[in-house]
Amino acid sequence: MHRRAYFLLERDFQELKENNFKGITAFPVSEDLMEWGASIQGLQNTVWQGLFFQLTINFTSEYNLVPPVVKFLTIPFHPNVDQNSGRACIDFLDNPAKWNTSYTLSSILFTLQVMLSNPVLENPVNLEAAQMLIKDESLYKQIVLRFFNQPSQLRDDRPESLKDPDKFIRSTKAVSFNDYYKTWSGIATSKATEYYRSPLPEDPHFIGEYHKWKKLELKHPREWNLK
């Protein structure tokens, strides 16, 4: 089983090196390829543009039958990222039953990159970020940039409500993979896909699902274009 996981991760690593995907890097930090470091850059024409986020990715010998554990080391102030653990609230990472063996390391990283500028507000794990984005988008942008530029002061600089974890009830319902890509295809920031469409053809299941979702009419209360 471990040999199979090693082979698949070598394949994923080779895919990253050959395609040189813009705004995404990943590299193994252990000889058995089970532990990785990665970084993603925010999409162009969004508040996240130019911001780099460091992540850790931990695989098991059962990859790719089960998803890896992915955490942000540079934790963004984001509705779908747990502010304490750094875990992204994406169902196919949290629930092995929703994982698909066609997903690769590139697929995971691109989903996280898209998630930054396309938050799903119906199921926020960081309720404070979601409420701020809804009530005052300008303030939300300022907090996003302040958190990134002053990482050592994250805890002290947070709004008062963030310092009291009992003040708000967090939703632990994961946002579905489908929701992210339906949102991506339907809002203004979808024009950025012209820069980041290269991984999709590598995965027939991925591109098939993408075109299916693109045909759906997205009904959303407003467009969250964080320019």
Side-chain angles (χ1 to χ4, degrees), residues 75-93:
I75 301 177
F77 184 60
H78 191 283
N80 307 129
V81 178
D82 188 285
Q83 195 64 34
N84 295 316
S85 69
R87 292 192 66 157
C89 190
I90 301 178
D91 63 352
F92 72 85
L93 291 178

Side-chain angles (χ1 to χ4, degrees), residues 59-220:
F59 297 91
T60 69
S61 60
E62 296 181 318
Y63 181 74
N64 65 353
L65 301 178
V66 297
V69 175
V70 182
K71 292 184 179 182
F72 281 89
L73 292 180
T74 313
I75 301 177
F77 184 60
H78 191 283
N80 307 129
V81 178
D82 188 285
Q83 195 64 34
N84 295 316
S85 69
R87 292 192 66 157
C89 190
I90 301 178
D91 63 352
F92 72 85
L93 291 178
D94 294 334
N95 184 357
K98 296 186 177 182
W99 170 259
N100 190 299
T101 55
S102 65
Y103 301 157
T104 66
L105 179 59
S106 298
S107 301
I108 295 169
L109 292 174
F110 270 86
T111 301
L112 293 170
Q113 187 183 47
V114 169
M115 178 199 73
L116 286 175
S117 52
N118 294 274
V120 178
L121 301 178
E122 287 81 0
N123 304 300
V125 67
N126 185 338
L127 187 56
E128 178 72 9
Q131 290 179 332
M132 185 177 296
L133 178 55
I134 292 170
K135 295 178 180 178
D136 191 336
E137 187 174 343
S138 177
L139 178 59
Y140 174 77
K141 295 178 184 179
Q142 294 177 34
I143 296 296
V144 164
L145 295 175
R146 185 172 67 176
F147 272 34
F148 182 83
N149 292 324
Q150 299 178 342
S152 63
Q153 300 177 23
L154 272 176
R155 185 168 301 275
D156 292 336
D157 280 355
R158 292 182 299 173
E160 287 299 318
S161 53
L162 275 177
K163 298 177 183 178
D164 183 1
D166 297 324
K167 189 171 183 178
F168 290 96
I169 300 175
R170 294 182 177 222
S171 167
T172 57
K173 183 178 180 181
V175 176
S176 72
F177 178 77
N178 294 22
D179 285 341
Y180 281 120
Y181 278 86
K182 283 194 295 182
T183 304
W184 185 20
S185 65
I187 69 175
T189 46
S190 63
K191 62 189 176 184
T193 60
E194 291 300 319
Y195 300 98
Y196 301 101
R197 59 192 308 174
S198 51
L200 298 178
E202 301 294 329
D203 187 340
H205 175 81
F206 221 63
I207 193 65
E209 289 297 297
Y210 173 77
H211 285 301
K212 181 176 68 175
W213 298 326
K214 196 172 181 64
K215 294 178 182 178
L216 297 177
E217 179 183 1
L218 179 65
K219 295 181 180 180
H220 213 273

Side-chain angles (χ1 to χ4, degrees), residues 46-59:
T46 74
V47 69
W48 306 93
Q49 179 175 342
L51 305 185
F52 285 86
F53 295 87
Q54 304 298 317
L55 306 96
T56 61
I57 308 174
N58 291 305
F59 297 91

